[in-house]
Amino acid sequence: MITIKDVARVAGVSTSTVSRVVRKQGKVGKTCRAKVQKVIDELGYRPNINAQALVSKKSNSLGVVIPKVSMPFFGTLACGAEEATIENNFRVLISNAHGSEQAELDAIDSLLQHRCGAIVFHSMHCSDDTLCELAEKIPGLVFINRLIPKMAHRCVWLDNNMGAQEAAKHLISNDHKNIAVISRKDVNPDAQIRLDGFRTALNNAGLPFDNELIGFGTTADMDGGKEAVSELLDSGKKFTAILSYNDNMAIGVVHELDSRGIRVPEDISVIGFDDLLISVACIPELTTMHYPVREMAHYAANLAIELADNESSSGKTHLFMPHFIERDSVNRYSA
Amino acid sequence: MITIKDVARVAGVSTSTVSRVVRKQGKVGKTCRAKVQKVIDELGYRPNINAQALVSKKSNSLGVVIPKVSMPFFGTLACGAEEATIENNFRVLISNAHGSEQAELDAIDSLLQHRCGAIVFHSMHCSDDTLCELAEKIPGLVFINRLIPKMAHRCVWLDNNMGAQEAAKHLISNDHKNIAVISRKDVNPDAQIRLDGFRTALNNAGLPFDNELIGFGTTADMDGGKEAVSELLDSGKKFTAILSYNDNMAIGVVHELDSRGIRVPEDISVIGFDDLLISVACIPELTTMHYPVREMAHYAANLAIELADNESSSGKTHLFMPHFIERDSVNRYSA
DNA sequence: CTGTTAGCGCGTTCAT
DNA sequence: ATGAACGCGCTAACAG
């Protein structure tokens, strides 16, 4: 691997000059710059990022901690973050952390070893307190898809409550009065908040809230959706529409209904949440709430990078809104 | 950030000793090791990876070049590679390179700057020659999902021909005689090979091959699938089954058929390729060929890491086989 | 505008 | 078994 010294020697200048040319900063004579650049090109010299990071004490890389890149939602998140790094001439380090608090902490740790000062963290298993501690130690740490009250200015989050309200309102405005909800069994703050939003919408419309119209899935995927809707169906309770915690569960719901000969949306309307790619694969294509993950991750990455060298916390709030996407899984109810 | 010197000072030993303890190698007295470890834990010392990489001349990180992590296929690929890095105590650097040869070359370049010697490269836009040149410069470079004859031992690829044959055979064994193919318009080696496999299967079964039964999509996604099948349908040609280049296109096909009131599989059978998550979201769930990307990426990552410090090319071939997944989109044909 | 000097944090000899 | 010294490739003062 050819080094800055090689370039300096061949070009007949000092390493400092080469360094200046490479980083395009500092004063260098026009002819000198051209000469050095020529040698750089000829030799194919590439600065050693490790050395740069070591001496300049910053790695110019952004860490992204997510459960798993192979999940489309998180893949999209990673992509959004990556977009931001390109603008900043940064690089992305993706750390998968699936299943436990320890895994998440380890992922952060690994990023820290790389000295990446800017980190976008999607935590599912750490407590608010743990996250606060971390945030204090790492100025460039930003949380995505989570609101930590004490750290609000470091959180990029979605208004789940409003999202669920919007979804419910759309159902209600289509004359549905008996609306079931598909939720997840594990304690998940988002699920709770979306449930609250649903309840609020019902309230605002003067509709009663029925606890027995909530079905819970063990997992927040297709299987969970099937499980939850089966439970609901078997209970004998009547409903004409279903608001699902997310698209994956919603698709499970559609499959289960289909297998029981119940048509969507003719017999039962279904609305999802997230607007994953998968939502258009389903027949009927899923009406859902669009979750702007890519944009949020992009924003979060920029925030992290900014925070990492400014330390200035503007105190701003970083709240995003989901928006309604009309497709084919919701019908107007006619008794 | 606390350094090895801090630990050495507090523990009252030299930095060399600390270094030995950290890397668990070299002789260190038992009590001494314990003492140092204690200080490390107390201070929360983490070695600076950049410094380690600089001095040891290896970064212990694996680069992965793919078009885009947000695409489920590539997200899965990245995950497979990551699994391998964990075993090797490596880290993953994911470089998205979408759309052009230059983008791919830049991605490789960026990885080289990080001095990651091991790279898994999914190239879509570079010529074999370009790739060969690259491979010669980078001993730890491995190509995935592509066969470069002159570099076969550095390629981890899938037998697309056999895969297409299998798929076709399944259709044929279900008494389908008029089978249409959905392919992609752009020149893509895989598409060509799968077409060959299809033709071979037809031949082996003594069935005629009809050029007009091939529909081309501009893009290899749902839209492309719709486009291609529309063309076929509008041509008036008769067929009872469709073999699709991939799942995404197959799902587009199913949607288009559905919108025309043609039932799958009752009227027309459809078989996909890849076995993406999305294939079970569709109704009916897609019968398809499973593409073991995760396993292949895992294997490729290990190979890259091995090659990066061995330089030994075993000359082995790294060929994977897709396998048939039966679901609900194929019926037996009965005239 | 350009070169010299001094480290960054760490691993690796080589003594002891 | 342990420490001193050196250098990895580079940037950041400081001279000139």
Side-chain angles (χ1 to χ4, degrees):
Chain A
M1 204 76 295
I2 117 127
T3 78
I4 201 171
K5 274 189 188 166
D6 299 321
V7 177
R9 188 168 26 75
V10 175
V13 297
S14 75
T15 59
S16 316
T17 302
V18 178
S19 175
R20 290 182 188 108
V21 172
V22 168
R23 289 171 305 128
K24 307 179 199 304
Q25 65 176 244
K27 309 276 97 183
V28 184
K30 210 171 155 128
T31 53
C32 178
R33 151 162 285 129
K35 178 178 60 181
V36 172
Q37 188 59 55
K38 186 154 169 286
V39 176
I40 288 178
D41 293 340
E42 284 170 1
L43 266 47
Y45 166 68
R46 292 287 165 252
N48 183 325
I49 291 200
N50 297 121
Q52 284 183 321
L54 177 59
V55 65
S56 67
K57 287 176 181 305
K58 45 175 143 176
S59 71
N60 272 26
S61 59
L62 169 86
V64 175
V65 179
I66 49 179
K68 230 177 187 13
V69 255
S70 58
M71 298 169 74
F73 181 87
F74 296 111
T76 306
L77 195 162
C79 263
E82 205 230 6
E83 289 169 11
T85 62
I86 294 172
E87 300 163 7
N88 292 278
N89 196 27
F90 265 53
R91 280 148 277 275
V92 206
L93 275 170
I94 297 178
S95 251
N96 288 350
H98 196 50
S100 70
E101 166 166 336
Q102 197 50 52
E104 294 183 353
L105 259 20
D106 287 348
I108 293 283
D109 210 72
S110 159
L111 259 20
L112 252 28
Q113 288 187 240
H114 276 278
R115 299 303 183 264
C116 55
I119 298 178
V120 174
F121 186 8
H122 185 291
S123 175
M124 307 208 66
H125 297 282
C126 291
S127 70
D128 280 16
D129 287 344
T130 308
L131 261 23
C132 280
E133 268 180 57
L134 237 46
E136 271 162 33
K137 272 187 292 201
I138 312 166
L141 179 59
V142 166
F143 304 105
I144 190 165
N145 191 23
R146 176 152 180 172
L147 173 62
I148 303 164
K150 277 181 285 189
M151 279 286 164
H153 57 290
R154 304 272 286 277
C155 294
V156 176
W157 53 293
L158 186 80
D159 197 327
N160 283 294
N161 187 300
M162 280 306 296
Q165 281 195 49
E166 287 280 325
K169 265 161 62 182
H170 180 253
L171 259 19
I172 293 168
S173 73
N174 274 285
D175 298 336
H176 291 280
K177 305 216 183 314
N178 297 296
I179 305 173
V181 175
I182 300 294
S183 191
R184 49 194 292 178
K185 220 167 243 166
D186 53 350
V187 280
N188 178 290
D190 293 354
Q192 200 50 55
I193 295 171
R194 290 184 193 173
L195 222 44
D196 290 343
F198 171 69
R199 212 181 276 120
T200 303
L202 243 41
N203 242 322
N204 292 346
L207 257 31
F209 171 77
D210 184 349
N211 229 335
E212 291 176 29
L213 243 29
I214 308 180
F216 294 94
T218 309
T219 48
D221 54 13
M222 279 180 63
D223 285 336
K226 291 181 191 177
E227 175 193 354
V229 77
S230 291
E231 185 190 303
L232 244 26
L233 252 19
D234 295 341
S235 80
K237 274 276 179 184
K238 293 302 168 203
F239 48 90
T240 62
I242 298 176
L243 185 153
S244 173
Y245 170 69
N246 68 14
D247 288 345
N248 287 330
M249 295 185 88
I251 289 177
V253 166
V254 172
H255 277 243
E256 182 61 30
L257 293 177
D258 179 74
S259 78
R260 293 183 184 223
I262 303 172
R263 294 164 305 166
V264 176
E266 291 82 356
D267 300 326
I268 291 188
S269 291
V270 175
I271 190 167
F273 205 111
D274 279 354
D275 191 28
L276 300 179
L277 222 63
I278 211 175
S279 65
V280 298
C282 184
I283 296 181
E285 296 190 9
L286 223 52
T287 292
T288 190
M289 297 301 301
H290 178 76
Y291 191 136
V293 225
R294 160 173 269 112
E295 291 80 359
M296 287 171 66
H298 189 124
Y299 181 96
N302 275 133
L303 181 61
I305 291 172
E306 187 185 322
L307 251 37
D309 56 25
N310 276 352
E311 287 254 8
S312 76
S313 60
S314 66
K316 247 191 298 185
T317 163
H318 318 289
L319 175 61
F320 283 71
M321 285 290 170
H323 67 264
F324 178 70
I325 303 278
E326 171 131 45
R327 287 201 271 257
D328 310 319
S329 62
V330 173
N331 257 14
R332 176 167 295 278
Y333 175 67
S334 49
Chain B
M1 206 72 299
I2 117 128
T3 78
I4 202 172
K5 274 188 188 168
D6 300 320
V7 177
R9 189 168 26 74
V10 175
V13 297
S14 75
T15 59
S16 318
T17 302
V18 178
S19 175
R20 290 181 188 111
V21 172
V22 167
R23 290 169 307 123
K24 306 179 200 306
Q25 64 175 244
K27 307 277 98 182
V28 185
K30 207 169 163 145
T31 52
C32 178
R33 151 163 284 129
K35 179 178 59 181
V36 172
Q37 188 59 55
K38 188 154 167 288
V39 175
I40 288 177
D41 293 339
E42 284 171 1
L43 267 45
Y45 165 69
R46 293 285 166 254
N48 182 325
I49 292 201
N50 297 121
Q52 283 184 322
L54 177 60
V55 67
S56 67
K57 290 174 178 306
K58 45 173 141 175
S59 72
N60 272 29
S61 59
L62 169 86
V64 176
V65 179
I66 49 179
K68 230 177 189 8
V69 255
S70 59
M71 299 169 74
F73 181 86
F74 296 111
T76 307
L77 196 162
C79 262
E82 204 229 7
E83 289 170 10
T85 61
I86 294 174
E87 300 162 5
N88 291 279
N89 196 27
F90 265 53
R91 281 149 277 278
V92 205
L93 274 171
I94 298 177
S95 252
N96 288 349
H98 197 48
S100 71
E101 166 165 338
Q102 196 50 53
E104 295 184 351
L105 260 18
D106 287 348
I108 294 284
D109 211 72
S110 158
L111 258 19
L112 252 27
Q113 288 187 241
H114 276 278
R115 298 303 183 266
C116 53
I119 297 179
V120 173
F121 186 8
H122 185 290
S123 175
M124 306 208 66
H125 298 282
C126 291
S127 70
D128 279 16
D129 287 344
T130 308
L131 261 22
C132 279
E133 268 180 54
L134 236 47
E136 270 162 33
K137 272 187 292 201
I138 313 167
L141 179 60
V142 166
F143 304 104
I144 189 165
N145 192 23
R146 176 152 180 172
L147 173 62
I148 302 164
K150 276 181 285 189
M151 279 286 163
H153 56 292
R154 305 271 286 276
C155 295
V156 175
W157 52 294
L158 186 80
D159 196 327
N160 283 295
N161 187 301
M162 279 307 296
Q165 280 195 50
E166 287 279 325
K169 265 160 64 181
H170 181 253
L171 259 20
I172 293 169
S173 72
N174 274 285
D175 298 336
H176 291 279
K177 306 217 183 312
N178 297 296
I179 304 173
V181 176
I182 299 295
S183 192
R184 48 194 294 179
K185 217 167 248 166
D186 54 350
V187 279
N188 179 291
D190 293 354
Q192 200 50 56
I193 295 172
R194 289 183 194 174
L195 222 45
D196 290 342
F198 171 69
R199 211 179 280 122
T200 303
L202 243 40
N203 242 321
N204 292 347
L207 258 30
F209 172 77
D210 184 350
N211 229 338
E212 291 176 28
L213 242 30
I214 307 179
F216 293 95
T218 309
T219 48
D221 53 14
M222 277 180 63
D223 286 336
K226 291 181 192 178
E227 174 193 355
V229 77
S230 292
E231 186 189 303
L232 245 25
L233 254 17
D234 296 341
S235 80
K237 275 276 179 185
K238 293 302 168 204
F239 49 89
T240 61
I242 297 176
L243 185 151
S244 173
Y245 170 69
N246 69 13
D247 288 345
N248 287 328
M249 295 185 89
I251 288 177
V253 166
V254 172
H255 277 242
E256 182 62 29
L257 293 177
D258 179 76
S259 77
R260 294 184 183 222
I262 302 173
R263 294 162 305 165
V264 176
E266 291 83 356
D267 301 325
I268 292 188
S269 291
V270 175
I271 189 166
F273 206 112
D274 278 355
D275 191 28
L276 300 179
L277 223 62
I278 210 174
S279 66
V280 298
C282 182
I283 296 181
E285 297 190 8
L286 223 53
T287 292
T288 190
M289 297 302 301
H290 177 76
Y291 192 136
V293 224
R294 161 173 269 111
E295 291 80 0
M296 286 170 67
H298 189 125
Y299 182 96
N302 275 134
L303 181 60
I305 291 172
E306 187 184 323
L307 252 37
D309 56 28
N310 274 353
E311 289 254 7
S312 77
S313 60
S314 67
K316 246 189 298 185
T317 162
H318 318 288
L319 175 62
F320 283 71
M321 284 290 170
H323 67 264
F324 177 69
I325 302 278
E326 171 132 46
R327 287 203 272 258
D328 310 320
S329 62
V330 173
N331 257 15
R332 175 167 297 275
Y333 174 67
S334 48

